[in-house]
């Protein structure tokens, strides 16, 4: 049975497509947006997260780890992460949940069993299931199989994507997808590479093909202070989308810092530390631009 690496399954979601939904987050991403609020999504492998503020220094993890990853030095709990095999033994011993494992290997049937638990909510709200990431289309064999199973169960399926994959990956899932939530961050390819880590030629060409192919697409733009929170950037994205199809919605999602503690738990630098969420006034002004046809 084919399997994939899932890092979260969130129930009762209301912002990832119509109605009440379950959102399944697949691990691994080909972009590196410095403001990403899911840093545990980036690598396509399991990773140990350590939330130091929850640690009571009981040393249970030190006793359970055969690799010597955890040490207590001068009253400070340290991790030698390069030695970690992501076996999870220490996680199960940690009573305070200071340790957790980002990423679990799941079969198609295990994912379907989980999402079907809320099928009554989907029915009463015209909701369904959303697959997000990371970049969900990178695990294309697993995604194709799990989407086919969703359709066998008559579920409404949405995909959140930034589209930085081969078009062939989209072709494989088109028969099963009811809605694409397509993330566009900026139009300028040089700026895109500077802030996101990759050229956006493929991202823009894929969304154009989806829209021209009469797939159901909502474009979503994360509004990042000092990067794209100005009229010119939002106008450029809106113009790009509306020139393909003026009926395609463009929605704005304000930057937030809710992922900050996760960076610390993975020992990663949080480069968006200095940013603040855009003001309501800014969001209202930019929303006027995206609502024009
Ligand atoms: S088991 Fe948990 S609480 Fe105890 S020392 Fe390890 S991380 Fe801290
Ligand atoms: S996940 Fe396994 S190898 Fe990694 S620190 Fe915990 S017990 Fe050690």
């Amino acid at each position: 049975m084919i399997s994939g690496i899932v890092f979260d399954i969130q129930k009762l979601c209301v912002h990832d497509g119509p109605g009440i939904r379950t959102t399944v987050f697949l691990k691994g991403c080909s972009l590196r947006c410095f403001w990403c609020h899911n840093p545990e999504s980036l690598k396509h492998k399991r990773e140990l997260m350590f939330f130091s503020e929850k640690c009571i220094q009981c040393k249970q993890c030190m006793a359970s780890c055969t690799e010597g990853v955890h040490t207590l030095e001068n009253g400070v709990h340290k991790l030698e992460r390069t030695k970690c095999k992501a076996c999870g033994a220490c996680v199960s011993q940690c009573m305070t949940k200071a340790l957790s494992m980002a990423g679990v290997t799941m079969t198609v049937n295990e994912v379907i069993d989980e999402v079907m638990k809320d099928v009554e909510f989907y029915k009463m709200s015209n909701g369904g299931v959303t697959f997000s990431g990371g970049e969900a289309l990178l695990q294309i064999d697993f995604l194709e199989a799990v989407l086919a199973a969703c359709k066998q169960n008559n579920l409404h399926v949405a995909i959140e994507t930034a589209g930085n994959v081969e078009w062939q990956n989209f072709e494989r899932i088109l028969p099963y997808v009811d809605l694409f939530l397509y993330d566009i961050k900026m139009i300028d390819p040089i700026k895109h590479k500077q802030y996101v880590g990759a050229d956006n030629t493929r991202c823009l060409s894929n969304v154009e093909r989806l829209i021209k192919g009469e797939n159901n697409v909502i474009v979503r733009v994360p509004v990042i202070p000092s990067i794209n929170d100005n009229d010119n950037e939002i106008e450029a994205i809106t113009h790009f989308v509306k020139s393909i199809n003026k009926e395609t919605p463009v929605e704005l999602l304000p930057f937030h810092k809710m992922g900050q503690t996760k960076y610390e738990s993975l020992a990663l630098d949080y480069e968006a530390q200095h940013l603040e969420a855009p003001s309501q006034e800014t969001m209202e002004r930019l929303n006027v631009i995206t609502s024009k046809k």
Side-chain angles (χ1 to χ4, degrees), residues 50 54-61 77 93-94 96 98-99:
F50 172 54
K54 293 184 185 171
C55 176
I56 55 169
Q57 300 194 348
C58 69
K59 300 185 185 177
Q60 289 298 313
C61 53
H77 183 162
Q93 293 302 310
C94 181
T96 65
L99 295 167

Side-chain angles (χ1 to χ4, degrees), residues 111-140:
V111 172
I112 294 297
D113 286 349
E114 196 56 40
V115 301
M116 289 304 285
K117 288 177 184 169
D118 279 2
V119 70
E120 294 306 322
F121 289 116
Y122 314 149
K123 282 183 189 166
M124 65 183 249
S125 67
N126 290 323
V129 185
T130 300
F131 288 84
S132 182
E135 174 53 69
L137 279 98
L138 288 179
Q139 295 192 49
I140 188 62

Side-chain angles (χ1 to χ4, degrees), residues 6-50:
V6 174
F7 75 88
D8 201 2
I9 296 182
Q10 290 181 3
K11 303 290 186 78
L12 305 178
C13 300
V14 292
H15 298 296
D16 296 333
I20 298 172
R21 312 187 70 80
T22 295
T23 303
V24 181
F25 294 85
L26 304 191
K27 205 158 164 15
C29 189
S30 54
L31 301 180
R32 288 294 179 271
C33 311
F34 75 84
W35 58 83
C36 179
H37 59 265
N38 284 330
E40 76 278 35
S41 74
L42 299 178
K43 292 182 184 166
H44 179 64
K45 65 176 190 179
R46 285 154 54 88
E47 290 173 278
L48 184 63
M49 301 173 84
F50 172 54

Side-chain angles (χ1 to χ4, degrees), residues 53-224:
E53 70 282 2
K54 293 184 185 171
C55 176
I56 55 169
Q57 300 194 348
C58 69
K59 300 185 185 177
Q60 289 298 313
C61 53
M62 293 155 206
S64 61
C65 178
T66 55
E67 307 300 320
V69 172
H70 301 271
T71 53
L72 203 55
E73 291 176 31
N74 300 321
V76 180
H77 183 162
K78 296 197 169 165
L79 279 74
E80 200 164 330
R81 290 175 180 274
T82 52
K83 291 182 182 173
C84 180
K85 303 270 193 295
C87 68
C90 60
V91 175
S92 59
Q93 293 302 310
C94 181
M95 303 302 285
T96 65
K97 300 198 184 311
L99 295 167
S100 72
M101 190 58 68
V104 59
T105 301
M106 295 182 78
T107 65
V108 169
N109 285 349
E110 285 169 339
V111 172
I112 294 297
D113 286 349
E114 196 56 40
V115 301
M116 289 304 285
K117 288 177 184 169
D118 279 2
V119 70
E120 294 306 322
F121 289 116
Y122 314 149
K123 282 183 189 166
M124 65 183 249
S125 67
N126 290 323
V129 185
T130 300
F131 288 84
S132 182
E135 174 53 69
L137 279 98
L138 288 179
Q139 295 192 49
I140 188 62
D141 294 338
F142 175 65
L143 185 66
E144 182 181 32
V146 79
L147 295 189
C150 286
K151 277 296 148 202
Q152 280 168 5
N153 286 281
N154 296 315
L155 297 177
H156 179 278
V157 170
I159 298 285
E160 267 187 327
T161 179
N164 187 33
V165 296
E166 297 293 325
W167 172 251
Q168 286 77 2
N169 289 19
F170 280 99
E171 280 184 320
R172 288 174 61 178
I173 61 167
L174 285 181
Y176 314 116
V177 180
D178 299 293
L179 171 65
F180 287 94
L181 302 167
Y182 204 107
D183 196 5
I184 297 181
K185 302 151 205 311
M186 56 201 85
I187 294 295
D188 181 347
I190 295 170
K191 207 171 157 186
H192 196 273
K193 185 155 193 181
Q194 180 182 354
Y195 293 113
V196 175
D199 181 277
N200 61 354
T201 308
R202 191 162 61 167
C203 308
L204 297 181
S205 133
N206 284 338
V207 72
E208 184 170 358
R209 289 179 83 159
L210 283 179
I211 296 172
K212 283 184 173 169
E214 299 190 351
N215 295 285
N216 194 10
V217 178
I218 297 175
V219 168
R220 305 209 297 187
V221 182
V223 177
I224 313 301

Side-chain angles (χ1 to χ4, degrees), residues 251-268:
E251 297 179 354
L252 302 179
L253 305 173
F255 164 79
H256 61 75
K257 280 183 163 176
M258 285 189 280
Q260 183 166 359
T261 57
K262 295 195 281 188
Y263 278 83
E264 291 159 10
S265 78
L266 292 161
L268 297 173

